[in-house]
Amino acid sequence: MPVQIRHKTPFTLSKPRALVVAVPPMHSNVNLSRIVRAAGCCGVRKIICCGNASVNAKIARETGIDLEIEPHRTLSPELIRKWREKGWRIVGLEQTDRSFWLHEYAFPEKTFLVVGNERLGILPEILRELDDVVEIPMYGLPFSHNAATATAIAMYEYCRQHRN
Amino acid sequence: MPVQIRHKTPFTLSKPRALVVAVPPMHSNVNLSRIVRAAGCCGVRKIICCGNASVNAKIARETGIDLEIEPHRTLSPELIRKWREKGWRIVGLEQTDRSFWLHEYAFPEKTFLVVGNERLGILPEILRELDDVVEIPMYGLPFSHNAATATAIAMYEYCRQHRN
């Protein structure tokens, strides 16, 4: 029979994950903390967070020194443009009229993933800055995932494609 | 620019999802409720839950009448065997010495997905009943996803493989 192994040694990546996750001001720091935990598991090195962001260590757990949380007042178009200029593809996670299905989208290695606020999603001023938009297919009510759940799924899909 | 479309019409499946999710007694009804919401989005028709399970509608949202939540006192080996006899493959989500990587495992259509308790994971008496075990690759601290996050990722992977 299978035997549980808690906290297995993780994969060693041949180079640091080139996935940056940008989180706008969130309604709930619980959701932000859940994103931080999932990002740590995915080997993400940088999360950009905004506003009154505060990570709850009980939820986020120990994510280690490899994951940097970079605070900003807001998620501004200027910030996004700086990342694009450095060669990152700006990919939003949002239900829109032109989103790719998450499982069909080929993530560039250098992905700057923008996620949405729980209630407002990605604001129009940020939507216009995106290179691409992806969304998770829905098969039933309530027709949308929790924001942190959706972010974790998107990071999983990125990792599935980039196993290096 | 992309325009938000909240609560898009979901995919219509050509036949009901043959994915059943079995949730053991959980430490937190918040996690159960999050699993229920994600299951609804995935078109899952049945969740088996145990113990003092109570779904928080604020977290689970409206999952509709298509998703049946079947309560049991415990998740017993007998219950699992009944599902196997009806032709379902019993797949556990757990870090073990013989787990397949989630993204490499080909889910049979009729999958009975057993998830673990937040602290204890899947108990040995259930581990011995599994046909297969899958786990999500880890690339960093804290080396394990939250139980509800992991379940949502596993359901997403199943849906990615079974789009019918």
Side-chain angles (χ1 to χ4, degrees), chain A residues 3-5 8 11 34 37 40-41 94-97 103 120 122 135 138-139 141 144 156-157, chain B residues 3-5 8 11 34 37 40-41 94-97 120 122 135 138-139 141 144 156-157 163:
Chain A
V3 175
Q4 254 187 22
I5 304 183
K8 254 185 202 181
F11 274 92
R34 290 176 47 208
R37 175 171 178 177
C41 292
E94 180 63 276
Q95 297 173 317
T96 75
D97 59 347
H103 56 266
L120 305 171
I122 300 179
E135 70 177 75
M138 289 292 143
Y139 299 94
L141 280 164
S144 74
Y156 163 78
E157 178 62 34
Chain B
V3 175
Q4 252 186 23
I5 303 183
K8 252 186 202 179
F11 273 92
R34 289 176 48 209
R37 175 170 177 178
C41 291
E94 180 63 275
Q95 296 173 318
T96 75
D97 59 347
L120 305 170
I122 300 179
E135 70 177 76
M138 289 292 144
Y139 300 93
L141 280 163
S144 74
Y156 164 77
E157 178 62 36
R163 303 180 199 174

Side-chain angles (χ1 to χ4, degrees), chain B residues 26-45:
Chain B
M26 294 297 268
H27 178 70
S28 145
N29 279 321
V30 170
N31 280 328
L32 172 66
S33 306
R34 289 176 48 209
I35 291 171
V36 168
R37 175 170 177 178
C41 291
C42 292
V44 167
R45 306 294 286 265

